[in-house]
Amino acid sequence: MNEVCPKDSLFTSDMGEHLSVALHFLRTRTPGAFTTCLGFGSMGSGVVSAIGMALGDSAPGGKKRRAFAICGDGGFLMSGNELQSAVTHKAPVTFVIMNDGRYNMCHHGIKNLYGETPTCNLGGVDFAKVADGFGAVGTVARTLHDLTAALKQMPDGPVVIDVRIDPDARLDGSQREASLRQFQEKK
């Protein structure tokens, strides 16, 4: 994204494993270009924030800057129906959905604390087909080449990129898990 997205892009992220990656690796080039709603830790907040940023942008020259929502599959399932609003208003927004097929932060957090986890699986949602159903451009990215090509798509309206990722690949260290450990019973 650092290399492919336009220099004046806007970015959002909601809660999930992908937020850690965005905070560590995403490099914005303009002040205020990255937004996340940390207060309540709301999954799906990045989806609606990106639409609002794209529609409310007042870039010089009147052309709206493209907003990129970095979100998880679970968060998109919670707020993704707002894709219809983005289509209706031709919002220049790209949803980069990290599709690992489960509520991954919940899965790893519970597993690390208790050694096992109930199912956190979401099934095999094809978000490119969902996008098509709403009238947006939808693409599945399985490789870096696929992702690069998809990020370069800049139609007048929304784009949905279904990025298939390994659910077990993650950054080391989690302040969230450290916070949750305080609630475990002392032995």
Side-chain angles (χ1 to χ4, degrees):
M1 294 183 82
N2 293 329
E3 297 169 12
V4 178
C5 296
K7 292 184 188 318
D8 64 348
S9 296
L10 303 168
F11 298 93
T12 67
S13 179
D14 56 50
M15 298 304 112
E17 293 285 306
H18 55 279
L19 176 58
S20 297
V21 174
L23 290 173
H24 280 85
F25 297 108
L26 184 64
R27 299 293 174 252
T28 60
R29 298 174 186 108
T30 56
F34 179 79
T35 300
T36 188
C37 299
L38 293 174
F40 288 114
S42 303
M43 291 175 63
S45 60
V47 173
V48 294
S49 295
I51 297 169
M53 288 173 72
L55 291 175
D57 182 51
S58 56
K63 183 166 176 21
K64 303 276 188 201
R65 294 178 288 176
R66 181 157 287 270
F68 291 84
I70 303 165
C71 53
D73 46 354
F76 194 82
L77 287 172
M78 292 180 184
S79 309
N81 285 331
E82 288 302 323
L83 178 57
Q84 181 58 48
S85 297
V87 169
T88 298
H89 298 288
K90 294 185 176 163
V93 61
T94 298
F95 302 96
V96 182
I97 303 170
M98 300 299 149
N99 188 349
D100 51 27
R102 66 183 176 204
Y103 293 112
N104 210 17
M105 182 179 271
C106 298
H107 168 84
H108 287 295
I110 295 167
K111 188 172 182 176
N112 286 347
L113 288 172
Y114 302 107
E116 59 184 290
T117 181
T119 184
C120 294
N121 295 341
L122 297 171
V125 178
D126 185 332
F127 292 100
K129 288 183 181 176
V130 171
D132 184 55
F134 277 107
V137 173
T139 305
V140 173
R142 290 184 173 84
T143 66
L144 181 58
H145 175 74
D146 294 345
L147 178 58
T148 300
L151 287 169
K152 291 179 180 179
Q153 296 180 75
M154 299 289 168
D156 287 337
V159 172
V160 173
I161 306 172
D162 181 345
V163 184
R164 305 295 171 88
I165 61 170
D166 179 352
D168 294 317
R170 57 195 306 241
L171 292 177
D172 288 335
S174 172
Q175 292 177 357
R176 178 180 176 272
E177 289 174 22
S179 296
L180 289 173
R181 286 191 196 283
Q182 71 180 326
F183 296 105
Q184 281 186 311
E185 289 183 353
K186 304 284 184 201
K187 292 183 181 182

